[in-house]
């Protein structure tokens, strides 16, 4: 296991200097919308929080952390904070597979297509879409989180934003629960699947839905995608430890201990595989972590877009 303080200092330093935990310039990591006909004006702002965009970089970084965990070189991670953030971020971006970037960009494009097919009045402005800072909160850097959250919240407020459509549980929890508490600025926050209305009845299949911790335990939204899929003829098979009692995928621990993260993911995957039906995730971190453990799993949006 790495020294948590070393990891927190590196991540917090990057967020402070570049507004994201990897130091990657936003124009390099947020490019999905360039291949989409997503509207530029509407009632609610599609706010990705850059989480799906970050996953390929998370996986590349974790691969290096895993290689050196519990070795004599583990202590050198603290010196990463002395490198210029943008320089290391650009390097990480160049080393990350274009195929992996495209895979997660495609998920965001699918979500935009689903919202359009559901007649949702939404729009997207890349300059207003920022990282929420949730990892700082998760790792215990409350002061750093509050400063970053205030920057993002005031930026949205000054742009006249009142309604947000989120796409992942981490950003949803941050914007819906944490931002009002720590910044005093509130928005009307809905996940994209709360707004989806697809009339297809051609599902006729069974799937295994993994409930992310934030959706299941804290936001109590697990029943929403289940009802949505049920209405499309897709049955969600019961899973041991789901809803408010769901089990973690292990992803939140991977920056501190890839080994521990893998152990947690393995236990969760055993529960999910017990149904014998295809696995569906609703979170970019869960999706990536389960794939890393060898799971055949796809994102909820990938399933939904087939029935437009």
């Amino acid at each position: 296991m790495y020294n948590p303080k070393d990891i927190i200092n590196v991540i917090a330093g990057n967020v402070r200097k570049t507004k994201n935990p990897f130091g990657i310039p936003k124009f390099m990591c947020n490019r999905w919308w360039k291949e989409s006909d997503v509207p530029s004006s509407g009632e609610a702002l599609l706010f990705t929080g850059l989480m799906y965009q970050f996953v390929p970089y998370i996986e590349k970084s974790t691969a290096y952390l895993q290689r050196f965990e519990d070795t004599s070189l583990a202590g050198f991670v603290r010196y990463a904070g002395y490198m210029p953030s943008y320089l290391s971020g650009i390097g990480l971006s160049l080393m990350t597979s274009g195929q992996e970037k495209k895979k997660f960009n495609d998920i965001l494009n699918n979500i935009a297509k689903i919202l359009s097919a559901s007649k949702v009045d939404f729009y997207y402005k890349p300059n207003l879409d920022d990282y929420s800072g949730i990892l700082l909160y998760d790792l215990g850097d409350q002061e750093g989180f509050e400063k970053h959250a205030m920057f993002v919240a005031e930026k949205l407020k000054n742009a006249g934003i009142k309604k947000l459509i989120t796409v992942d549980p981490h950003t949803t929890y941050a914007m819906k629960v944490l931002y009002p508490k720590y910044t005093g600025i509130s928005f009307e926050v809905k996940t994209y699947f709360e707004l989806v209305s697809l009339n297809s009845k051609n599902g006729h299949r069974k799937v295994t839905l993994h409930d992310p911790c934030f959706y299941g335990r804290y936001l109590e939204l697990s029943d929403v995608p289940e009802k949505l899929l049920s209405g499309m003829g897709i049955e969600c098979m019961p899973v041991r430890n789901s809803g408010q009692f769901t089990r973690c995928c292990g992803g939140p621990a991977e920056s501190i201990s890839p080994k521990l993260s893998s152990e947690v993911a393995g236990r969760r995957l055993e529960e999910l595989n017990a149904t014998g039906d295809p696995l569906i995730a609703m979170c970019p971190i869960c999706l990536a972590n389960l794939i890393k453990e060898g799971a055949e799993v796809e994102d909820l949006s990938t399933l939904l877009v087939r029935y437009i």
Side-chain angles (χ1 to χ4, degrees):
M1 179 179 290
Y2 287 91
N3 184 335
K5 185 177 180 181
D6 292 341
I7 300 294
I8 292 169
N9 286 342
V10 171
I11 291 173
N14 283 337
V15 172
R16 186 172 60 252
K17 298 169 188 173
T18 69
K19 306 306 179 189
N20 79 62
F22 302 100
I24 304 168
K26 190 158 67 168
F27 76 88
M28 293 185 72
C29 65
N30 189 32
R31 303 177 63 85
W32 72 271
W33 53 275
K34 291 181 177 289
E35 299 176 5
S36 174
D37 57 358
V38 62
S40 58
S41 62
E43 182 181 15
L45 175 70
L46 179 60
F47 189 82
T48 74
L50 307 183
M51 289 297 292
Y52 276 98
Q53 297 92 314
F54 283 156
V55 168
Y57 309 109
I58 293 173
E59 296 310 294
K60 175 61 72 173
S61 301
T62 302
Y64 284 107
L65 290 173
Q66 190 170 19
R67 185 184 305 174
F68 300 114
E69 184 178 11
D70 296 331
T71 72
S72 59
L73 298 175
F76 285 93
V77 72
R78 70 174 68 102
Y79 298 112
Y82 293 100
M83 291 184 64
S85 295
Y86 272 129
L87 182 61
S88 59
I90 291 171
L92 177 61
S93 180
L94 294 175
M95 290 189 296
T96 302
S97 163
Q99 184 177 359
E100 284 299 300
K101 295 174 188 176
K102 183 181 185 306
K103 180 168 70 176
F104 286 90
N105 285 344
D106 286 347
I107 289 174
L108 294 172
N109 274 297
N110 286 340
I111 291 172
K113 291 175 185 176
I114 292 164
L115 289 172
S116 294
S118 300
K119 310 299 183 186
V120 177
D121 187 5
F122 78 102
Y123 67 105
Y124 185 70
K125 288 189 178 296
N127 63 307
L128 294 177
D129 192 8
D130 289 295
Y131 174 57
S132 70
I134 187 65
L135 186 55
L136 296 178
Y137 180 84
D138 289 344
L139 292 175
D141 183 8
Q142 186 168 318
E143 181 180 355
F145 170 75
E146 289 183 18
K147 288 180 179 178
H148 182 75
M150 186 61 73
F151 163 78
V152 175
E154 288 184 339
K155 183 177 177 181
L156 292 171
K157 180 181 178 181
N158 291 338
I161 305 301
K162 299 185 184 304
K163 296 183 178 182
L164 299 175
I165 299 174
T166 53
V167 301
D168 76 272
H170 299 266
T171 303
T172 303
Y173 184 75
M175 307 309 292
K176 191 170 186 175
V177 178
L178 300 180
Y179 272 45
K181 180 178 180 179
Y182 291 107
T183 73
I185 300 173
S186 300
F187 305 96
E188 182 181 328
V189 181
K190 294 282 187 181
T191 65
Y192 81 93
F193 57 72
E194 290 178 275
L195 304 171
V196 171
S197 177
L198 299 179
N199 297 319
S200 175
K201 301 292 184 180
N202 299 321
H204 305 304
R205 60 179 298 189
K206 298 177 180 179
V207 298
T208 302
L209 203 60
H210 165 62
D211 293 327
C213 295
F214 281 119
Y215 283 158
R217 296 180 189 174
Y218 310 126
L219 294 170
E220 299 184 13
L221 289 173
S222 296
D223 62 320
V224 179
E226 287 187 12
K227 290 177 180 177
L228 170 63
L229 293 175
S230 177
M232 297 168 61
I234 301 173
E235 183 181 358
C236 295
M237 301 306 292
V239 177
R240 181 185 179 188
N241 296 317
S242 59
Q244 288 184 304
F245 301 99
T246 192
R247 257 188 171 175
C248 180
C249 72
E254 62 186 345
S255 61
I256 303 297
S257 175
K259 184 184 297 184
L260 174 62
S261 175
S262 178
E263 291 174 1
V264 174
R267 289 196 292 268
R268 180 55 173 168
L269 188 54
E270 285 184 11
E271 293 180 340
L272 296 171
N273 281 337
T275 69
D277 293 296
L279 306 186
I280 303 296
M282 297 177 281
C283 166
I285 305 299
C286 295
L287 178 65
N289 225 41
L290 292 173
I291 288 174
K292 194 160 51 180
E293 286 304 303
E296 292 186 14
V297 55
E298 63 181 6
D299 191 77
L300 175 65
S301 65
T302 306
L303 173 65
L304 293 175
V305 80
R306 297 194 189 110
Y307 300 99
I308 290 178

